[in-house]
Amino acid sequence: MAGTAVRKMSGSGWRLAWVCVFLLFLYLPIMLMPLFSFNDGIYVAFPLKGFTTKWYAQLFANEALAHALVNSLKVAIAASLISTGLAIFAAKAFTRYEFKGRQLGYGLIMAPMILPEIMVGISLFLIILALGLPLGLYTVLFGHVLFCMPFAISVLSSRLEGFDKSLEEASLDLGESPLMTFWRVTFPLTMPGIVSSLLLCFTISFDEFILAFFLSSTETTLPVYIWGQLRFPAKLPEVLALGSLILVGTTILIVAAQSIRGEEGMTQGR
């Protein structure tokens, strides 16, 4: 008995150590970014030259950065709204109805999630050039909607699969039209999934670089702006400060989305 308990404790210790090593390997490089953003020198090296917040102060005086930030917010908000709006109806169709080509259609919609993003970016770039369309924020938005759709459908499908269909049937039996049934019954009950999808799509679009790099022109988004600034060593601390703020904001959004999904799962469990 004692030997079994010792072996169990030893196994748990090894598993805990493995998890700690994995998390350290994964997040230590990311955690160094906020650390060096407060460094008084321009070089990323130890020991630190001193503590300063001047790099953060310079961010708010940078007009080009502010313009790129506004562009990213515009695209991210629009992409999250469009992707989630389209995904609501797509997820409802895939989870409610059986039709010819259903599995094939679902697989094709999910393809951007697993395809190399650089190949998607090059393909969209070539198509847009062939059509003679100008590159800009609208083409970036199109690419982001295409990329965010699989994630939105995945989130909303998981919500709709646990949805009680009898509630919709009762509404229809009581004389409501399919449209009003969706608005009064389906939409409110899928709201946690909708909010989670909006937050997730916003985060994905806001942080996305490759598609924005191929599909933007002079109207750059924030990730493209950051990439351009990395060519100048003197700009590195400012980029680290900006990256730290993005890291904090992205973490908050992801935690919020997962919290909503967790509460959703608990509600379905009851």
Side-chain angles (χ1 to χ4, degrees), residues 17-30:
W18 166 247
V19 170
C20 291
V21 170
F22 176 78
L23 293 177
L24 188 65
F25 174 79
L26 186 63
Y27 290 106
L28 181 60
I30 300 176

mmCIF file with all atom_site columns, all heavy atoms in Angstrom, residues 17-30:
data_model
loop_
_atom_site.group_PDB
_atom_site.id
_atom_site.type_symbol
_atom_site.label_atom_id
_atom_site.label_alt_id
_atom_site.label_comp_id
_atom_site.label_asym_id
_atom_site.label_entity_id
_atom_site.label_seq_id
_atom_site.pdbx_PDB_ins_code
_atom_site.Cartn_x
_atom_site.Cartn_y
_atom_site.Cartn_z
_atom_site.occupancy
_atom_site.B_iso_or_equiv
_atom_site.pdbx_formal_charge
_atom_site.auth_seq_id
_atom_site.auth_comp_id
_atom_site.auth_asym_id
_atom_site.auth_atom_id
_atom_site.pdbx_PDB_model_num
ATOM 1   N N   . ALA A 1 17 ? 6.096  18.252 -13.092 1.00 0.00 ? 17 ALA A N   1
ATOM 2   C CA  . ALA A 1 17 ? 7.359  18.818 -13.574 1.00 0.00 ? 17 ALA A CA  1
ATOM 3   C C   . ALA A 1 17 ? 7.336  18.971 -15.097 1.00 0.00 ? 17 ALA A C   1
ATOM 4   O O   . ALA A 1 17 ? 7.804  19.983 -15.634 1.00 0.00 ? 17 ALA A O   1
ATOM 5   C CB  . ALA A 1 17 ? 8.525  17.932 -13.150 1.00 0.00 ? 17 ALA A CB  1
ATOM 6   N N   . TRP A 1 18 ? 6.773  17.984 -15.786 1.00 0.00 ? 18 TRP A N   1
ATOM 7   C CA  . TRP A 1 18 ? 6.699  18.053 -17.238 1.00 0.00 ? 18 TRP A CA  1
ATOM 8   C C   . TRP A 1 18 ? 5.819  19.220 -17.681 1.00 0.00 ? 18 TRP A C   1
ATOM 9   O O   . TRP A 1 18 ? 6.161  19.945 -18.616 1.00 0.00 ? 18 TRP A O   1
ATOM 10  C CB  . TRP A 1 18 ? 6.160  16.738 -17.782 1.00 0.00 ? 18 TRP A CB  1
ATOM 11  C CG  . TRP A 1 18 ? 5.723  16.814 -19.218 1.00 0.00 ? 18 TRP A CG  1
ATOM 12  C CD1 . TRP A 1 18 ? 4.466  16.702 -19.701 1.00 0.00 ? 18 TRP A CD1 1
ATOM 13  C CD2 . TRP A 1 18 ? 6.569  17.041 -20.355 1.00 0.00 ? 18 TRP A CD2 1
ATOM 14  N NE1 . TRP A 1 18 ? 4.447  16.834 -21.071 1.00 0.00 ? 18 TRP A NE1 1
ATOM 15  C CE2 . TRP A 1 18 ? 5.729  17.039 -21.495 1.00 0.00 ? 18 TRP A CE2 1
ATOM 16  C CE3 . TRP A 1 18 ? 7.942  17.239 -20.528 1.00 0.00 ? 18 TRP A CE3 1
ATOM 17  C CZ2 . TRP A 1 18 ? 6.220  17.241 -22.782 1.00 0.00 ? 18 TRP A CZ2 1
ATOM 18  C CZ3 . TRP A 1 18 ? 8.424  17.445 -21.810 1.00 0.00 ? 18 TRP A CZ3 1
ATOM 19  C CH2 . TRP A 1 18 ? 7.582  17.436 -22.912 1.00 0.00 ? 18 TRP A CH2 1
ATOM 20  N N   . VAL A 1 19 ? 4.694  19.409 -17.008 1.00 0.00 ? 19 VAL A N   1
ATOM 21  C CA  . VAL A 1 19 ? 3.806  20.528 -17.341 1.00 0.00 ? 19 VAL A CA  1
ATOM 22  C C   . VAL A 1 19 ? 4.510  21.859 -17.110 1.00 0.00 ? 19 VAL A C   1
ATOM 23  O O   . VAL A 1 19 ? 4.422  22.779 -17.937 1.00 0.00 ? 19 VAL A O   1
ATOM 24  C CB  . VAL A 1 19 ? 2.506  20.452 -16.507 1.00 0.00 ? 19 VAL A CB  1
ATOM 25  C CG1 . VAL A 1 19 ? 1.684  21.728 -16.667 1.00 0.00 ? 19 VAL A CG1 1
ATOM 26  C CG2 . VAL A 1 19 ? 1.675  19.245 -16.930 1.00 0.00 ? 19 VAL A CG2 1
ATOM 27  N N   . CYS A 1 20 ? 5.242  21.963 -16.005 1.00 0.00 ? 20 CYS A N   1
ATOM 28  C CA  . CYS A 1 20 ? 5.955  23.215 -15.701 1.00 0.00 ? 20 CYS A CA  1
ATOM 29  C C   . CYS A 1 20 ? 7.031  23.506 -16.750 1.00 0.00 ? 20 CYS A C   1
ATOM 30  O O   . CYS A 1 20 ? 7.182  24.650 -17.192 1.00 0.00 ? 20 CYS A O   1
ATOM 31  C CB  . CYS A 1 20 ? 6.575  23.137 -14.305 1.00 0.00 ? 20 CYS A CB  1
ATOM 32  S SG  . CYS A 1 20 ? 5.371  23.131 -12.962 1.00 0.00 ? 20 CYS A SG  1
ATOM 33  N N   . VAL A 1 21 ? 7.776  22.473 -17.147 1.00 0.00 ? 21 VAL A N   1
ATOM 34  C CA  . VAL A 1 21 ? 8.815  22.655 -18.170 1.00 0.00 ? 21 VAL A CA  1
ATOM 35  C C   . VAL A 1 21 ? 8.192  23.071 -19.487 1.00 0.00 ? 21 VAL A C   1
ATOM 36  O O   . VAL A 1 21 ? 8.691  23.968 -20.181 1.00 0.00 ? 21 VAL A O   1
ATOM 37  C CB  . VAL A 1 21 ? 9.643  21.364 -18.334 1.00 0.00 ? 21 VAL A CB  1
ATOM 38  C CG1 . VAL A 1 21 ? 10.561 21.460 -19.559 1.00 0.00 ? 21 VAL A CG1 1
ATOM 39  C CG2 . VAL A 1 21 ? 10.466 21.104 -17.087 1.00 0.00 ? 21 VAL A CG2 1
ATOM 40  N N   . PHE A 1 22 ? 7.093  22.435 -19.839 1.00 0.00 ? 22 PHE A N   1
ATOM 41  C CA  . PHE A 1 22 ? 6.425  22.764 -21.099 1.00 0.00 ? 22 PHE A CA  1
ATOM 42  C C   . PHE A 1 22 ? 5.925  24.205 -21.096 1.00 0.00 ? 22 PHE A C   1
ATOM 43  O O   . PHE A 1 22 ? 6.125  24.949 -22.068 1.00 0.00 ? 22 PHE A O   1
ATOM 44  C CB  . PHE A 1 22 ? 5.251  21.803 -21.315 1.00 0.00 ? 22 PHE A CB  1
ATOM 45  C CG  . PHE A 1 22 ? 4.436  22.127 -22.541 1.00 0.00 ? 22 PHE A CG  1
ATOM 46  C CD1 . PHE A 1 22 ? 4.885  21.772 -23.800 1.00 0.00 ? 22 PHE A CD1 1
ATOM 47  C CD2 . PHE A 1 22 ? 3.232  22.804 -22.426 1.00 0.00 ? 22 PHE A CD2 1
ATOM 48  C CE1 . PHE A 1 22 ? 4.142  22.074 -24.928 1.00 0.00 ? 22 PHE A CE1 1
ATOM 49  C CE2 . PHE A 1 22 ? 2.479  23.107 -23.546 1.00 0.00 ? 22 PHE A CE2 1
ATOM 50  C CZ  . PHE A 1 22 ? 2.938  22.745 -24.802 1.00 0.00 ? 22 PHE A CZ  1
ATOM 51  N N   . LEU A 1 23 ? 5.262  24.619 -20.006 1.00 0.00 ? 23 LEU A N   1
ATOM 52  C CA  . LEU A 1 23 ? 4.754  25.987 -19.926 1.00 0.00 ? 23 LEU A CA  1
ATOM 53  C C   . LEU A 1 23 ? 5.887  27.003 -19.914 1.00 0.00 ? 23 LEU A C   1
ATOM 54  O O   . LEU A 1 23 ? 5.769  28.084 -20.516 1.00 0.00 ? 23 LEU A O   1
ATOM 55  C CB  . LEU A 1 23 ? 3.890  26.148 -18.663 1.00 0.00 ? 23 LEU A CB  1
ATOM 56  C CG  . LEU A 1 23 ? 2.578  25.360 -18.642 1.00 0.00 ? 23 LEU A CG  1
ATOM 57  C CD1 . LEU A 1 23 ? 1.870  25.550 -17.316 1.00 0.00 ? 23 LEU A CD1 1
ATOM 58  C CD2 . LEU A 1 23 ? 1.674  25.781 -19.798 1.00 0.00 ? 23 LEU A CD2 1
ATOM 59  N N   . LEU A 1 24 ? 6.988  26.660 -19.246 1.00 0.00 ? 24 LEU A N   1
ATOM 60  C CA  . LEU A 1 24 ? 8.140  27.558 -19.226 1.00 0.00 ? 24 LEU A CA  1
ATOM 61  C C   . LEU A 1 24 ? 8.721  27.714 -20.620 1.00 0.00 ? 24 LEU A C   1
ATOM 62  O O   . LEU A 1 24 ? 9.044  28.831 -21.057 1.00 0.00 ? 24 LEU A O   1
ATOM 63  C CB  . LEU A 1 24 ? 9.198  27.007 -18.269 1.00 0.00 ? 24 LEU A CB  1
ATOM 64  C CG  . LEU A 1 24 ? 10.400 27.916 -17.981 1.00 0.00 ? 24 LEU A CG  1
ATOM 65  C CD1 . LEU A 1 24 ? 9.949  29.167 -17.247 1.00 0.00 ? 24 LEU A CD1 1
ATOM 66  C CD2 . LEU A 1 24 ? 11.444 27.171 -17.161 1.00 0.00 ? 24 LEU A CD2 1
ATOM 67  N N   . PHE A 1 25 ? 8.868  26.608 -21.342 1.00 0.00 ? 25 PHE A N   1
ATOM 68  C CA  . PHE A 1 25 ? 9.388  26.657 -22.707 1.00 0.00 ? 25 PHE A CA  1
ATOM 69  C C   . PHE A 1 25 ? 8.468  27.461 -23.625 1.00 0.00 ? 25 PHE A C   1
ATOM 70  O O   . PHE A 1 25 ? 8.923  28.190 -24.508 1.00 0.00 ? 25 PHE A O   1
ATOM 71  C CB  . PHE A 1 25 ? 9.543  25.230 -23.234 1.00 0.00 ? 25 PHE A CB  1
ATOM 72  C CG  . PHE A 1 25 ? 9.934  25.156 -24.688 1.00 0.00 ? 25 PHE A CG  1
ATOM 73  C CD1 . PHE A 1 25 ? 11.251 25.356 -25.076 1.00 0.00 ? 25 PHE A CD1 1
ATOM 74  C CD2 . PHE A 1 25 ? 8.983  24.892 -25.662 1.00 0.00 ? 25 PHE A CD2 1
ATOM 75  C CE1 . PHE A 1 25 ? 11.618 25.294 -26.415 1.00 0.00 ? 25 PHE A CE1 1
ATOM 76  C CE2 . PHE A 1 25 ? 9.340  24.823 -27.004 1.00 0.00 ? 25 PHE A CE2 1
ATOM 77  C CZ  . PHE A 1 25 ? 10.664 25.025 -27.373 1.00 0.00 ? 25 PHE A CZ  1
ATOM 78  N N   . LEU A 1 26 ? 7.165  27.348 -23.401 1.00 0.00 ? 26 LEU A N   1
ATOM 79  C CA  . LEU A 1 26 ? 6.190  27.991 -24.275 1.00 0.00 ? 26 LEU A CA  1
ATOM 80  C C   . LEU A 1 26 ? 6.067  29.484 -23.999 1.00 0.00 ? 26 LEU A C   1
ATOM 81  O O   . LEU A 1 26 ? 5.992  30.297 -24.933 1.00 0.00 ? 26 LEU A O   1
ATOM 82  C CB  . LEU A 1 26 ? 4.824  27.309 -24.109 1.00 0.00 ? 26 LEU A CB  1
ATOM 83  C CG  . LEU A 1 26 ? 3.706  27.765 -25.044 1.00 0.00 ? 26 LEU A CG  1
ATOM 84  C CD1 . LEU A 1 26 ? 4.060  27.461 -26.489 1.00 0.00 ? 26 LEU A CD1 1
ATOM 85  C CD2 . LEU A 1 26 ? 2.393  27.078 -24.663 1.00 0.00 ? 26 LEU A CD2 1
ATOM 86  N N   . TYR A 1 27 ? 6.061  29.854 -22.712 1.00 0.00 ? 27 TYR A N   1
ATOM 87  C CA  . TYR A 1 27 ? 5.706  31.227 -22.368 1.00 0.00 ? 27 TYR A CA  1
ATOM 88  C C   . TYR A 1 27 ? 6.871  32.100 -21.927 1.00 0.00 ? 27 TYR A C   1
ATOM 89  O O   . TYR A 1 27 ? 6.725  33.320 -21.859 1.00 0.00 ? 27 TYR A O   1
ATOM 90  C CB  . TYR A 1 27 ? 4.640  31.226 -21.251 1.00 0.00 ? 27 TYR A CB  1
ATOM 91  C CG  . TYR A 1 27 ? 3.303  30.743 -21.727 1.00 0.00 ? 27 TYR A CG  1
ATOM 92  C CD1 . TYR A 1 27 ? 2.831  29.477 -21.365 1.00 0.00 ? 27 TYR A CD1 1
ATOM 93  C CD2 . TYR A 1 27 ? 2.510  31.521 -22.560 1.00 0.00 ? 27 TYR A CD2 1
ATOM 94  C CE1 . TYR A 1 27 ? 1.594  29.026 -21.807 1.00 0.00 ? 27 TYR A CE1 1
ATOM 95  C CE2 . TYR A 1 27 ? 1.280  31.085 -23.002 1.00 0.00 ? 27 TYR A CE2 1
ATOM 96  C CZ  . TYR A 1 27 ? 0.829  29.837 -22.627 1.00 0.00 ? 27 TYR A CZ  1
ATOM 97  O OH  . TYR A 1 27 ? -0.382 29.391 -23.072 1.00 0.00 ? 27 TYR A OH  1
ATOM 98  N N   . LEU A 1 28 ? 8.014  31.513 -21.611 1.00 0.00 ? 28 LEU A N   1
ATOM 99  C CA  . LEU A 1 28 ? 9.144  32.333 -21.180 1.00 0.00 ? 28 LEU A CA  1
ATOM 100 C C   . LEU A 1 28 ? 9.571  33.344 -22.242 1.00 0.00 ? 28 LEU A C   1
ATOM 101 O O   . LEU A 1 28 ? 9.773  34.531 -21.928 1.00 0.00 ? 28 LEU A O   1
ATOM 102 C CB  . LEU A 1 28 ? 10.331 31.455 -20.778 1.00 0.00 ? 28 LEU A CB  1
ATOM 103 C CG  . LEU A 1 28 ? 11.568 32.208 -20.279 1.00 0.00 ? 28 LEU A CG  1
ATOM 104 C CD1 . LEU A 1 28 ? 11.210 33.035 -19.041 1.00 0.00 ? 28 LEU A CD1 1
ATOM 105 C CD2 . LEU A 1 28 ? 12.699 31.237 -19.977 1.00 0.00 ? 28 LEU A CD2 1
ATOM 106 N N   . PRO A 1 29 ? 9.712  32.948 -23.530 1.00 0.00 ? 29 PRO A N   1
ATOM 107 C CA  . PRO A 1 29 ? 10.070 33.964 -24.538 1.00 0.00 ? 29 PRO A CA  1
ATOM 108 C C   . PRO A 1 29 ? 9.044  35.088 -24.637 1.00 0.00 ? 29 PRO A C   1
ATOM 109 O O   . PRO A 1 29 ? 9.408  36.243 -24.867 1.00 0.00 ? 29 PRO A O   1
ATOM 110 C CB  . PRO A 1 29 ? 10.126 33.153 -25.844 1.00 0.00 ? 29 PRO A CB  1
ATOM 111 C CG  . PRO A 1 29 ? 10.370 31.751 -25.419 1.00 0.00 ? 29 PRO A CG  1
ATOM 112 C CD  . PRO A 1 29 ? 9.633  31.598 -24.128 1.00 0.00 ? 29 PRO A CD  1
ATOM 113 N N   . ILE A 1 30 ? 7.762  34.746 -24.459 1.00 0.00 ? 30 ILE A N   1
ATOM 114 C CA  . ILE A 1 30 ? 6.723  35.779 -24.523 1.00 0.00 ? 30 ILE A CA  1
ATOM 115 C C   . ILE A 1 30 ? 6.826  36.713 -23.327 1.00 0.00 ? 30 ILE A C   1
ATOM 116 O O   . ILE A 1 30 ? 6.653  37.928 -23.452 1.00 0.00 ? 30 ILE A O   1
ATOM 117 C CB  . ILE A 1 30 ? 5.331  35.122 -24.582 1.00 0.00 ? 30 ILE A CB  1
ATOM 118 C CG1 . ILE A 1 30 ? 5.226  34.237 -25.832 1.00 0.00 ? 30 ILE A CG1 1
ATOM 119 C CG2 . ILE A 1 30 ? 4.231  36.173 -24.588 1.00 0.00 ? 30 ILE A CG2 1
ATOM 120 C CD1 . ILE A 1 30 ? 3.917  33.478 -25.930 1.00 0.00 ? 30 ILE A CD1 1
#
